[in-house]
Amino acid sequence: MAAGPGEAMAHSAFDTILVLDFGSQYTHLITRRLRELNVFSEMLPCTQKLSELKFVPKGIILSGGPYSVYEEGSPHVDPAVFDLNVPILGICYGMQELAYRLNPDNVIAGTHREYGHAMLKARSIDNHVDRLFEGIEESMRVWMSHGDKLAKLPDGFHTVATSDNSEYAAIGHQSKPIYGLQFHPEVTHTQNGTALLKNFAVGICGCKQEWTMQKFLEEAIAQIRHTVGEKGQVLAAISGGVDSTVAAKLMKEAIGSRFWAVLVNNGVMRLNECDQVKKDLTEALGINLTVVEASDRFLDGLKGIDDPEKKRKFIGGKFIDIFEEEAVKIEEAAANDPAKAGKIEFFMQGTLYPDVIESLSFKGPSATIKTHHNVGGLPARMANGQGLKLIEPLRSLYKDEVRALGRALGIREELVMRHPFPGPGIAVRILGEVTPEKVEIARQADHIFISEIRKAGIYDQISQAYAAVDPSRAVGVMGDKRVYGYIIVLRAVTTTDFMTAEAYNFPWDFLQRVMNRIVNEVHGVCRVVYDVTSKPPGTIELE
Ligand code: GLN
């Protein structure tokens, strides 16, 4: 796994709660909630050897999981977890695992599954609830999802909260800061769940609530300078999207023009996009940017390719070729510039935390855990071919944190809130063969659609929107004449994680207005349809 300075920096500079993932669908919510509390949290698979950790966490949380602890082959935590002498909180499977570790007889299959809400009551001893429940109403609705249960209290523990069905809804060690919860405090259905996590992280583990993007920014700049050194130089391919723009601005703040950004115009960018990105990055943000005009090389090569995978592969491969040619030129320029005069040693990439999590999360006892790999092949080629080291300054951040960092860096709001855009650009928004004519139609239609969305003030409510070209043609009538034109497919979705999505519910008159403008203003189009497919079964892009 490549460790970027972003990663090394976050847990070395911020108090960190380590979340060990046993495969629950909610594990990432634990890290999210903690970060919302301004406590840094990092997730690793439950199989992590604790002696190999590169940092000392202030506390450890064991997540839930779909297995039963007593089953053969179910995952178990490194027993060294008890020797680290930091507070531990087990959630559901995590609690069962703690109990099982102490004595396998402690956990059994329950007689009935408990799924959904339960009323929890914190237990008072000498008029005091446990500090895990401090400042929280004694009675609260919590969310349960389990079939197994504790058969008895593990030795040395006492009950700190009960529910009607779970005698041991929350347990705590009598003298050590070790806790177990049968319910899930990380889901929003649990009342005061965040307050409970705060009591654990801040009250019990003693974490300072310093995880803010302003502080991250200072730390990241210091760390990048440290990694790159006085003379070192960094190269990057950027797209003009949020992630690469924020990462590029961060690099610029850290090392000025020793950071080299390259934007390749692949001929399938949106209307005026290349110029706009150039303006934003150079004029507004002061980034050292080279634009490579390569539209013809892409559009020529795309002739005759109608298979989506082949299109993607062609664009990806051509992109790498062009980027490498440019890298050689930049190396020469950099070596001859006495003000810079260092070698280009690093290649920067805007990888985000969800990609890291995806490659780390625990997929089951028999499944191998994927190691982090970067899609697109560019980093691998840069690393192997040119001996460049990878630097990933956003590796610790979620998307909304990247946006907050962008604001802290003074990047304008419209850019910070931009919808994601695929690497192969509008080539995957033109079904079948890409031709200059269809690219032009897709650009015009998309521009109308997005402008109307902005005008209606709903851009930020939508996660991704675009207009695509369906090259099968339909018959229409315009000015009493028969026309035969392409079909434009409008797509707009809302999603939180892009894994599942729903079509956006536009007002009817809005769709009518967009349809009207497109058929009137875009030559060669005579029909407009709205794609209402959710994901699954549809994907967000058409190809
Ligand atoms: N599989 C365990 C049970 O059913 C744990 C479930 C969970 O962690 N949500 O009790």
Side-chain angles (χ1 to χ4, degrees), residues 64-67 92-93 96 145-148 184:
Y67 317 97
C92 205
Y93 185 95
Q96 295 162 3
S145 169
H146 67 115
D148 298 331
H184 289 269

Side-chain angles (χ1 to χ4, degrees), residues 414-458:
E414 199 178 297
L415 234 168
V416 160
M417 288 308 291
R418 232 172 156 205
H419 293 169
F421 184 62
I426 51 184
V428 291
R429 295 174 175 181
I430 292 168
L431 297 175
E433 190 191 5
V434 175
T435 64
E437 182 209 12
K438 287 180 217 159
V439 169
E440 201 44 41
I441 289 176
R443 277 188 178 144
Q444 302 287 348
D446 186 74
H447 184 70
I448 292 171
F449 186 36
I450 300 297
S451 313
E452 288 295 333
I453 286 176
R454 286 203 187 279
K455 230 193 278 169
I458 51 178

Side-chain angles (χ1 to χ4, degrees), residues 213 246 249 401-412 416:
M213 284 306 108
V246 171
K249 178 65 175 162
E401 291 173 327
V402 172
R403 293 195 156 122
L405 178 63
R407 289 187 190 104
L409 281 161
I411 299 175
R412 69 188 171 94
V416 160

Side-chain angles (χ1 to χ4, degrees), residues 513-531:
R513 192 159 60 242
V514 173
M515 173 277 292
N516 236 304
R517 282 199 57 193
I518 291 177
V519 290
N520 280 307
E521 296 172 36
V522 187
H523 193 70
V525 174
C526 73
R527 295 274 169 124
V528 176
V529 299
Y530 182 47
D531 182 351

Side-chain angles (χ1 to χ4, degrees), residues 221-298:
I221 288 175
Q223 185 66 35
I224 292 166
R225 287 184 182 150
H226 176 78
T227 307
V228 174
E230 300 266 305
K231 289 273 176 205
Q233 310 217 32
V234 183
L235 183 67
I238 59 113
S239 65
V242 189
D243 307 342
S244 65
T245 304
V246 171
K249 178 65 175 162
L250 185 59
M251 296 304 294
K252 142 84 178 46
E253 292 300 303
I255 59 168
S257 60
R258 285 187 288 130
F259 170 68
W260 301 79
V262 176
L263 172 69
V264 175
N265 185 359
N266 58 10
V268 281
M269 292 171 75
R270 287 164 291 192
L271 192 69
N272 304 330
E273 185 166 24
C274 197
D275 291 341
Q276 187 59 51
V277 172
K278 187 172 170 186
K279 227 169 137 178
D280 272 319
L281 268 72
T282 54
E283 288 172 27
L285 302 176
I287 292 162
N288 172 14
L289 172 76
T290 309
V291 180
V292 186
E293 182 44 67
S295 297
D296 291 346
R297 290 173 68 182
F298 282 90

